[in-house]
Amino acid sequence: MEKKLIIFDFFGVISSEVAPQWFRRYFPPEEADRRKAALCIPADRGDIDETEYFCRLSALTGEDPGQIMADWMELAVLHRDILPLLARLRACCQVALLSNAPAGYLHRVLSREHLYTAFDSIIISSEVHLVKPDPALFRLLLERRGVAPEDAMMIDDNVGNLQGAAEAGIDGIHYTGVPQLWEALKPLVPALAEPGEAVLCVPNVCHRAEIAAYRQELLDADSDMDGCGSLRRRENPLDWLDDCQRLSRPDTVPEGMVPSTQYVYVRKSDGKLLGMIQLRWELNDYLTYAGHIGYSVRPSERRKGYAKAMLRALLPLCKARGLDRVLLSCEAGNEASRRTILACGGVYHSTVTEPREGRTLERYWITL
């Protein structure tokens, strides 16, 4: 059955394990596991706050609490080979993070690694006072995402946590590595195995170098950056990714703007970023001119059909978000953009003068 929601554990899947490593620095394996359970479970459940947790670890070992925190941050090593999979999944289904952890600590790791753009939802056990494998925690996530249990899949390296997911009606994959996970997910998320030269992804840190190169090429060509959000003014790709994250959440979108999802179009063979396309979930006064969708293609890769392919790939995602039609516009003299819109089903509506820069725009509707 095709899955609509893929749920990831963090430590042991996206990052290295931390607590087991740290406790075994100080204690033999059996004692380390016993002490870990006694101290980690109250912190993971939110019974004690982060400060109290690290003070207890300090009392246990004699180490300074600040040094223990620094050690824990150092032990959290990101599995960077999983990032392309996360980016690809977010373009075709919902992706959530469900982790047992002290919230402040995990948020620092997520912020350091610029990982917020990798997930549609993040639930940390200590923030909701429930810990895996309690089935109630899994049910809470399903409720928040509006997904039935049979439409979800849990990825975890801990078999006990997968048993808790199963009690909530969620199938699971026991994680042993990224290649195994790709193969296990392909039958469940058919878009992962779609043929084609390039794919849509939601950008994350794995695209950092390509984002910078894409921006520079557009600047060198004195080209418009339609569908790129704040890219023109963001020299650091990580700052741009942070902007994309803020725009993707109704509770953090800047005043006067609408929530949107940023996508990049990436060639499979070499990872080159070919284009960018942005989906705005709704229209405000200005977007009645600019439309739901903006896009651009790398100057060196134009006239190869990528704009058309990118737009066609996005339209099913628009429908999945609940839109029944989308508005697109192009400058009156932009024949290439006009042909792209028409080839994807665009129907001419009107020609208008855009108020900010006085551009003459042709508007088209595409029915989904």
Side-chain angles (χ1 to χ4, degrees):
M1 175 185 289
E2 184 174 350
K3 300 298 182 179
K4 298 179 181 178
L5 172 64
I6 308 299
I7 310 165
F8 282 84
D9 175 40
F10 191 77
F11 297 106
V13 177
I14 294 171
S15 164
S16 59
E17 289 281 13
V18 173
Q21 289 190 72
W22 186 86
F23 276 91
R24 292 191 181 198
R25 285 182 176 181
Y26 296 92
F27 307 102
E30 288 188 8
E31 183 180 357
D33 293 344
R34 177 175 56 79
R35 291 183 179 271
K36 172 182 170 295
L39 285 170
C40 286
I41 290 176
D44 288 347
R45 195 166 47 225
D47 296 341
I48 59 174
D49 64 20
E50 183 185 54
T51 299
E52 175 65 18
Y53 179 51
F54 284 100
C55 284
R56 291 188 184 187
L57 297 181
S58 173
L60 188 66
T61 63
E63 297 281 357
D64 178 75
Q67 183 58 52
I68 294 174
M69 169 59 76
D71 291 343
W72 277 54
M73 292 297 293
E74 184 179 351
L75 287 170
V77 178
L78 185 64
H79 296 158
R80 296 193 174 274
D81 55 346
I82 205 170
L83 295 177
L85 174 58
L86 290 173
R88 184 71 188 102
L89 282 169
R90 273 215 65 201
C92 50
C93 63
Q94 299 183 50
V95 180
L97 178 66
L98 186 62
S99 179
N100 288 349
Y105 168 64
L106 181 49
H107 279 299
R108 277 191 289 277
V109 175
L110 294 171
S111 179
R112 182 190 71 185
E113 302 294 346
H114 295 269
L115 281 177
Y116 287 107
T117 54
F119 307 102
D120 295 286
S121 285
I122 295 172
I123 292 184
I124 303 174
S125 60
S126 55
E127 293 182 326
V128 296
H129 304 287
L130 294 167
V131 295
K132 293 184 291 185
D134 188 338
L137 181 58
F138 298 97
R139 295 189 186 106
L140 175 64
L141 175 57
L142 293 173
E143 180 181 352
R144 288 189 178 182
R145 297 310 307 172
V147 173
E150 61 270 20
D151 291 328
M153 175 63 69
M154 180 71 207
I155 315 299
D156 207 305
D157 64 317
N158 185 319
V159 173
N161 291 336
L162 294 178
Q163 291 172 347
E167 290 183 41
I170 301 172
D171 293 333
I173 295 173
H174 182 214
Y175 176 81
T176 59
V178 174
Q180 164 255 357
L181 185 56
W182 270 100
E183 292 305 312
L185 285 172
K186 282 180 182 178
L188 306 172
V189 186
L192 288 179
E194 283 181 355
E197 182 182 357
V199 293
L200 278 183
C201 299
V202 175
N204 66 27
V205 293
C206 72
H207 303 112
R208 179 178 180 177
E210 277 298 306
I211 292 166
Y214 187 89
R215 175 182 181 272
Q216 191 59 52
E217 190 168 323
L218 289 171
L219 289 173
D220 291 345
D222 193 26
S223 179
D224 290 335
M225 294 194 186
D226 295 330
C228 299
S230 63
L231 187 63
R232 181 177 294 278
R233 66 178 185 271
R234 292 300 193 189
E235 185 174 352
N236 186 339
L238 299 180
D239 293 335
W240 179 74
L241 287 170
D242 289 343
D243 289 344
C244 292
Q245 171 65 23
R246 281 189 288 273
L247 284 169
S248 72
R249 296 173 51 118
D251 58 333
T252 58
V253 68
E255 185 177 356
M257 302 183 74
V258 303
S260 64
T261 303
Q262 180 70 53
Y263 298 91
V264 292
Y265 196 55
V266 178
R267 187 156 58 204
K268 292 179 180 180
S269 61
D270 58 4
K272 187 174 185 180
L273 201 161
L274 304 173
M276 290 193 180
I277 190 164
Q278 185 185 59
L279 169 61
R280 300 118 190 184
W281 304 354
E282 58 193 60
L283 299 178
N284 58 18
D285 288 344
Y286 175 72
L287 291 179
T288 59
Y289 298 92
H292 288 98
I293 298 170
Y295 57 87
S296 62
V297 173
R298 197 173 189 140
S300 61
E301 299 290 345
R302 290 173 181 169
R303 298 179 179 86
K304 299 179 181 180
Y306 291 135
K308 188 188 307 179
M310 185 166 59
L311 179 54
R312 281 178 173 161
L314 182 68
L315 294 179
L317 305 180
C318 300
K319 188 172 184 178
R321 184 162 284 282
L323 297 172
D324 55 13
R325 63 175 187 160
V326 289
L327 178 67
L328 290 90
S329 66
C330 65
E331 292 198 38
N334 190 338
E335 185 62 27
S337 187
R338 179 189 295 115
R339 289 179 179 176
T340 293
I341 295 170
L342 290 172
C344 293
V347 176
Y348 175 77
H349 179 269
S350 59
T351 298
V352 296
T353 300
E354 178 267 329
R356 292 185 182 176
E357 300 175 8
R359 296 181 298 164
T360 300
L361 301 177
E362 295 178 2
R363 300 194 303 169
Y364 296 80
W365 285 98
I366 297 177
T367 301
L368 303 174

